[in-house]
Amino acid sequence: MNQPPNPACNLQIFKAVKEYEYMQEGDIIIGGVMASHFYMFNFTFPWDNSTGFACLTPNQQAYRYLVNFRFAIEQINKDSSRLPNLTLGYHISDSCGDPRKAVRSVLQILSGTREPVPNYSCVGKRNIAGFIGDLISKTTVPIAQILSVLRYTQISYGATDPSLRDRVAFPYFFRTIQSDEANYFALSKLLRHFGWNWVGIITSDDMSGEEEIHSLAKYLSREGVCIEFTAKAKISTENDFSFSQYESIIGRSSTSVFIISGTASIMFVNALPYALRQKTLIISPNWGNNDDVLGYNIMIFNNSLVFLPRYHYDLGTPEMSRFLEDLHPSKFPDDKLIEDIFLLFHLCLSKDQNKNNLYQYTSPHTLHNCTGQERITDLPYFRGETNSPLAHLAVDIMSQALHEMNMLFIRKSNQYPDKYQLHYFLKNHQYSPQTGPTFSFNEHGEYMSGLWIYNYIISPNYYLERKLVGEFSPWAPPDQQLNITSSVIQWKTDNNDIPRAQCSDNCLPGYRKAPNPGAQSCCYNCVLCSEGEISNTTDSESCIQCPDMEWPNEQKDQCIPKIQEFLSYSVDVISVFFSFISFLFFLITEVILGIFLKYRDSPIVRANNRSLSFLLLVSIKLSFLSVFLFLGRPVDITCMLRIITFGITFSIAVSSLLAKTIMVCVAFKATKPGSSWRKWLGVKLSNSVVLFCSSIQIIICMTWLAISPPFQELDIHTSPGTIIIQCNEGSAIGFYSVIGYMGLLAAVSFVLAFLARSLPDSFNEAKYITFSMLLFCSVWITMIPAYLSTKGKNTVCVEIFAILTSSAGLLACIFLPKCYIILFTPEINTKSHLLENKY
């Protein structure tokens, strides 16, 4: 364009040497800006030394989208119910993957002339309804910026740039594919599914690549996935970039999984380092929709995974097949699109010699005369395996919106609608299949769809085939969104094992992750759960505290009921031993009692106050039986009875010994002539001593039971993993009062017996009582520190031992000597012997 001198702002529009432009007139025109070549390059042509931009490297997949566009137009025009009495036309221009060419294409379509005139239409009756395009984001964004100002509706069939979600900046923009935001959400779920949390990213060093890294990092972090490193390549038409600085990094990388993002480019693909042949690549949908570029480095992308949009229909129909079969230069000799496809991909010479010359100069291939047997369906992307309706769907949706808008305005005002209102009808467009979800545009102008997950595999014909291995359904419940069959995926690993992409090994159940200082969150150590904690999942962030009544198992991956500890008859051998000993001593006491009853009239029995002896034997017998209250599982009633029983029985026993000792002393005093002690002789004194001393202990016990009685206690803190079922004294004062009073009686008895041990009397018991009280006091004094220093059933064992030893000591010291005299030396068990010793 001619520019004014020294303009403050000017627009320079690039012109390509060869315009790949396709038109069909109609009542309503749909514009199309569709990248059918990968890039544009500035050439100097030898035949006239002129320079110009030429579109290079035709994209077979992109041409398939262009054919699908045209097929959609043909279908719509054949449908009498769609836009009645109106025909759809199109004006499609190749953007050549270059933003400058894309801007020229838009302005050229709007102007309707070979040379674009901005903001002016040179064809007065031309009715352009909207635009379809483009395939890639870097050309779609400038198109959207222009069309949003001019208020033309635009539907892209491949751009995934998240910035296009902005409805304030791009209110007229729609797309039949979801943005990178939605795609990376699905990709992060895939990584999580395979346990990959340590990945590398390879992207383009441009605005698209930067935005995708930020978006991808956000979704990866939500799933606990870390990025080991990011490799960026500058996208340039001069092929002046490479990944050489990343070659060694990628080779030494600990991860086996890399994500390919950014702008799809042949130069990008060709520059990918050789080390990636051993890595598994995850390819985002914006590459999958333009995967013809992957064929330029086929070995690297073998066994990779790719996401592609999933729609409610595809183009693998008989009608589409017939349409493709009919596309031949012999049937449509003036069709430029068919001519270009056969020239670019079948290398057929064109009737236009200038076109042949341009191709021969810009391409390494040689053109030749074709036989006429070539078919468009011989080309990989036209065979039917690739049936994604991206562009077809965009045209179909726009035509439906045009139809709805047209019918509404004709009914209301009998006039044609304003094309600037088309986007309102697109917002409300819905497709509801008989089964499955409803498809429509969301609030960001993105057509809601699921994703197919394919596995790239090199075919025998040496091109990448797709094998469907799973799907992602965003409308499903969160735990059912990803559905993938891992067993059918072909990996690059030996034995077809799932690749490893972890900075640290998984922490097994029973362990938790402990972060390494200065490292990313995915790099951690595995630490065994602390005491009383478990983890029942792999890679637990923290351990779970077991409930009070439970404890971790040996692996610390589940809580199990704690072991209950008490003196059990079925588990503890010592319980059986104590039972046997107690019963044995009980029988011995019973035998001694029987002997004393049998010989109750003998001098030795009568001389030592036989009623006190009988009472002492009964109390000792009850002491042995009280041991059984300490065995077995404690309950509240046994807790109350065990201390009370042995406390009272021992108090009676010690009181009896005290009464015996007092009677010895009184009997000695009463032997003197005229002694006043004679009146104290008899059973009244002894019975009174026993009754008085025992009553005090009974009062102490009853007070204890009334105020704070013993009860069953579950001790879950003393021994880890064990519930100690024990008796809580309820009141320490009550417990030590019982023990203390019993000790007081024993001490008084010991002192009196010690003083009376040498009194001259027949069968003097004082010396035996002295020894028995010495043993009794020694046992219970020793028992106190042992009782305080032990826990659980060991404490009970200490108590039982004290009861048994003290009771056995009383029995042995007091009664065994008498039994020996009664049974083995009856000659001294006579009254004469008694009187002899007395005088």
Side-chain angles (χ1 to χ4, degrees):
M1 295 182 61
N2 295 326
Q3 302 294 331
N6 300 320
C9 178
N10 66 82
L11 174 65
Q12 183 180 6
I13 300 177
F14 291 90
K15 180 179 180 180
V17 175
K18 169 71 174 69
E19 293 285 353
Y20 292 90
E21 194 174 20
Y22 312 101
M23 287 183 286
Q24 177 181 305
E25 293 300 329
D27 299 315
I28 300 174
I29 301 296
I30 296 179
V33 180
M34 308 179 73
S36 301
H37 288 73
F38 282 110
Y39 57 92
M40 192 168 64
F41 193 76
N42 192 11
F43 275 97
T44 299
F45 297 99
W47 47 81
D48 57 2
N49 291 324
S50 62
T51 59
F53 288 91
C55 298
L56 300 180
T57 316
N59 185 343
Q60 187 181 136
Q61 185 180 23
Y63 264 98
R64 172 62 193 267
Y65 293 139
L66 199 153
V67 169
N68 292 345
F69 183 117
R70 194 163 124 175
F71 173 64
I73 295 291
E74 184 173 305
Q75 278 186 310
I76 294 164
N77 287 332
K78 288 180 178 179
D79 187 354
S80 59
S81 63
R82 181 88 60 92
L83 293 170
N85 301 320
L86 294 173
T87 58
L88 273 182
Y90 58 82
H91 186 169
I92 302 172
S93 181
D94 186 358
S95 69
C96 300
D98 192 292
R100 299 167 297 180
K101 180 63 172 65
V103 170
R104 174 186 174 87
S105 297
V106 170
L107 298 178
Q108 188 169 315
I109 293 170
L110 290 172
S111 300
T113 58
R114 297 294 297 174
E115 290 299 324
V117 181
N119 205 29
Y120 185 78
S121 176
C122 299
V123 183
K125 294 183 179 180
R126 204 175 200 208
N127 183 18
I128 299 178
F131 282 78
I132 304 297
D134 195 358
L135 177 63
I136 56 178
S137 296
K138 73 174 183 178
T139 54
T140 303
V141 172
I143 296 172
Q145 290 170 338
I146 294 173
L147 295 179
S148 294
V149 173
L150 300 177
R151 297 194 298 164
Y152 277 97
T153 298
Q154 175 189 1
I155 304 178
S156 170
Y157 59 96
T160 59
D161 194 320
S163 66
L164 294 168
R165 294 162 61 96
D166 187 349
R167 304 312 285 167
V168 175
F170 305 104
Y172 300 93
F173 178 80
F174 299 84
R175 47 185 159 188
T176 57
I177 188 173
Q178 296 189 72
S179 72
D180 290 327
E181 294 280 331
N183 296 331
Y184 289 148
F185 173 75
L187 191 148
S188 65
K189 294 294 183 182
L190 177 73
L191 297 179
R192 186 66 176 174
H193 172 79
F194 286 112
W196 295 332
N197 62 5
W198 188 242
V199 299
I201 296 179
I202 298 179
T203 188
S204 53
D205 190 11
D206 57 2
M207 186 61 69
S208 176
E210 287 293 331
E211 291 175 352
E212 288 191 38
I213 287 176
H214 290 301
S215 178
L216 183 56
K218 176 178 67 175
Y219 286 101
L220 293 183
S221 64
R222 289 180 184 177
E223 297 297 329
V225 180
C226 300
I227 301 171
E228 183 180 7
F229 69 90
T230 300
K232 298 179 181 179
K234 182 178 179 181
I235 301 300
S236 169
T237 56
E238 282 78 24
N239 199 19
D240 60 355
F241 69 96
S242 70
F243 286 97
S244 57
Q245 67 270 35
Y246 299 110
E247 181 83 38
S248 60
I249 297 175
I250 293 173
R252 296 194 309 269
S253 172
S254 59
T255 182
S256 298
V257 176
F258 283 78
I259 299 171
I260 303 294
S261 65
T263 304
S265 160
I266 292 177
M267 294 172 292
F268 188 172
V269 170
N270 284 331
L272 290 174
Y274 182 84
L276 285 176
R277 289 195 176 194
Q278 305 302 319
K279 308 293 184 180
T280 297
L281 305 183
I282 310 297
I283 304 168
S284 59
N286 65 317
W287 279 69
N289 295 324
N290 194 20
D291 65 357
D292 193 26
V293 299
L294 307 185
Y296 288 85
N297 204 336
I298 192 170
M299 293 303 300
I300 283 181
F301 293 97
N302 185 35
N303 303 134
S304 299
L305 296 178
V306 63
F307 287 86
L308 286 176
R310 168 196 170 193
Y311 297 103
H312 49 275
Y313 75 101
D314 63 34
L315 296 178
T317 62
E319 185 182 4
M320 184 70 195
S321 299
R322 289 192 297 271
F323 178 79
L324 292 174
E325 289 290 344
D326 286 342
L327 293 181
H328 197 275
S330 61
K331 291 187 177 181
F332 304 95
D334 297 325
D335 193 315
K336 292 175 59 180
L337 173 60
I338 299 174
E339 182 184 54
D340 287 343
I341 290 174
F342 274 75
L343 182 145
L344 296 171
F345 304 113
H346 281 309
L347 305 179
C348 296
L349 284 168
S350 169
K351 293 180 292 184
D352 185 345
Q353 188 57 39
N354 290 331
K355 188 184 294 186
N356 295 335
N357 292 339
L358 175 64
Y359 185 83
Q360 295 279 20
Y361 183 71
T362 58
S363 171
H365 303 291
T366 302
L367 299 176
H368 58 269
N369 289 314
C370 288
T371 62
Q373 300 301 315
E374 295 83 2
R375 291 289 180 267
I376 198 170
T377 51
D378 296 334
L379 303 173
Y381 280 96
F382 291 86
R383 288 175 184 163
E385 295 96 336
T386 306
N387 299 315
S388 177
L390 286 169
H392 183 278
L393 179 63
V395 177
D396 187 63
I397 291 175
M398 183 172 284
S399 70
Q400 290 184 45
L402 285 169
H403 173 76
E404 293 167 4
M405 182 176 70
N406 186 61
M407 299 304 293
L408 178 65
F409 275 80
I410 289 177
R411 286 197 303 269
K412 285 188 174 182
S413 57
N414 202 25
Q415 62 181 355
Y416 289 110
D418 184 355
K419 60 180 175 291
Y420 302 135
Q421 297 177 348
L422 178 60
H423 70 288
Y424 291 113
F425 291 87
L426 281 175
K427 287 180 182 178
N428 299 322
H429 169 78
Q430 286 189 343
Y431 176 79
S432 301
Q434 295 180 349
T435 59
T438 298
F439 294 87
S440 62
F441 289 107
N442 64 12
E443 67 274 14
H444 303 296
E446 300 168 7
Y447 198 70
M448 292 298 294
S449 65
L451 291 170
W452 294 118
I453 304 172
Y454 289 93
N455 186 201
Y456 277 131
I457 302 169
I458 297 179
S459 70
N461 297 328
Y462 207 72
Y463 73 91
L464 289 175
E465 286 184 342
R466 296 173 183 165
K467 180 181 181 181
L468 183 63
V469 295
E471 62 178 312
F472 184 83
S473 304
W475 49 78
D479 59 336
Q480 301 175 18
Q481 289 179 331
L482 182 65
N483 182 18
I484 189 165
T485 308
S486 306
S487 58
V488 300
I489 300 176
Q490 292 188 22
W491 305 106
K492 292 182 179 179
T493 56
D494 297 335
N495 302 321
N496 205 41
D497 295 326
I498 296 177
R500 185 182 184 277
Q502 293 175 293
C503 180
S504 302
D505 291 331
N506 293 109
C507 289
L508 299 176
Y511 293 80
R512 64 173 177 85
K513 296 194 291 188
N516 284 329
Q520 296 192 58
S521 61
C522 299
C523 303
Y524 48 80
N525 294 320
C526 293
V527 179
L528 189 67
C529 287
S530 303
E531 190 174 82
E533 296 181 335
I534 66 160
S535 63
N536 51 14
T537 58
T538 302
D539 286 339
S540 292
E541 297 287 344
S542 59
C543 296
I544 306 167
Q545 186 74 36
C546 282
D548 288 341
M549 305 304 289
E550 295 181 350
W551 190 252
N553 62 354
E554 195 171 330
Q555 293 76 28
K556 291 198 173 187
D557 58 2
Q558 64 176 327
C559 293
I560 57 176
K562 286 183 176 180
I563 299 172
Q564 295 184 347
E565 182 182 283
F566 57 89
L567 278 179
S568 170
Y569 289 105
S570 59
V571 176
D572 297 299
V573 177
I574 196 169
S575 295
V576 179
F577 174 75
F578 281 144
S579 300
F580 173 75
I581 296 298
S582 299
F583 189 68
L584 177 63
F585 279 124
F586 171 78
L587 291 178
I588 293 173
T589 308
E590 191 69 32
V591 170
I592 293 174
L593 180 59
I595 293 172
F596 268 61
L597 286 173
K598 183 177 180 181
Y599 296 96
R600 62 183 176 276
D601 295 325
S602 64
I604 195 169
V605 175
R606 295 181 64 190
N608 297 123
N609 199 332
R610 61 186 174 188
S611 61
L612 289 179
S613 296
F614 293 151
L615 182 61
L616 180 58
L617 283 169
V618 170
S619 62
I620 291 174
K621 190 164 60 171
L622 292 175
S623 298
F624 285 131
L625 291 178
S626 70
V627 168
F628 291 97
L629 293 173
F630 290 81
L631 301 175
R633 183 188 180 95
V635 293
D636 288 344
I637 187 65
T638 57
C639 288
M640 288 187 286
L641 288 176
R642 60 165 59 169
I643 302 294
I644 303 304
T645 301
F646 98 82
I648 292 175
T649 54
F650 267 100
S651 295
I652 293 173
V654 177
S655 297
S656 299
L657 291 176
L658 178 60
K660 278 177 172 287
T661 306
I662 291 174
M663 290 307 295
V664 170
C665 294
V666 170
F668 175 75
K669 297 288 185 182
T671 57
K672 295 179 180 180
S675 175
S676 60
W677 289 94
R678 288 180 179 273
K679 62 182 179 180
W680 296 104
L681 292 174
V683 295
K684 287 185 179 180
L685 177 62
S686 60
N687 291 343
S688 298
V689 171
V690 173
L691 182 62
F692 176 76
C693 294
S694 301
S695 297
I696 294 175
Q697 183 73 292
I698 292 171
I699 291 171
I700 293 173
C701 290
M702 293 303 106
T703 304
W704 181 14
L705 291 178
I707 295 175
S708 181
F711 57 90
Q712 183 202 61
E713 179 185 55
L714 303 180
D715 183 0
I716 60 176
H717 303 294
T718 301
S719 179
T722 303
I723 300 175
I724 300 175
I725 304 177
Q726 61 187 9
C727 289
N728 187 303
E729 293 85 3
S731 171
I733 295 175
F735 174 75
Y736 288 111
S737 295
V738 170
I739 299 297
Y741 179 71
M742 195 168 61
L744 176 63
L745 290 178
V748 172
S749 297
F750 171 72
V751 171
L752 290 177
F754 182 78
L755 294 176
R757 71 188 186 282
S758 59
L759 293 178
D761 193 8
S762 298
F763 309 119
N764 188 357
E765 286 187 302
K767 62 179 74 173
Y768 301 121
I769 294 174
T770 302
F771 283 117
S772 65
M773 287 299 98
L774 182 62
L775 176 62
F776 184 89
C777 292
S778 300
V779 168
W780 285 98
I781 290 173
T782 307
M783 174 263 185
I784 298 300
Y787 178 84
L788 295 175
S789 62
T790 55
K791 297 294 181 181
K793 58 185 180 183
N794 293 330
T795 304
V796 180
C797 290
V798 169
E799 292 178 300
I800 294 175
F801 179 77
I803 293 171
L804 289 176
T805 52
S806 57
S807 299
L810 292 178
L811 185 65
C813 293
I814 302 299
F815 294 102
L816 286 184
K818 296 181 178 64
C819 290
Y820 180 80
I821 292 173
I822 292 171
L823 297 175
F824 300 107
T825 57
E827 64 276 4
I828 65 174
N829 187 16
T830 61
K831 189 173 183 180
S832 59
H833 181 75
L834 173 65
L835 294 174
E836 235 176 63
N837 283 303
K838 187 173 182 179
Y839 296 102

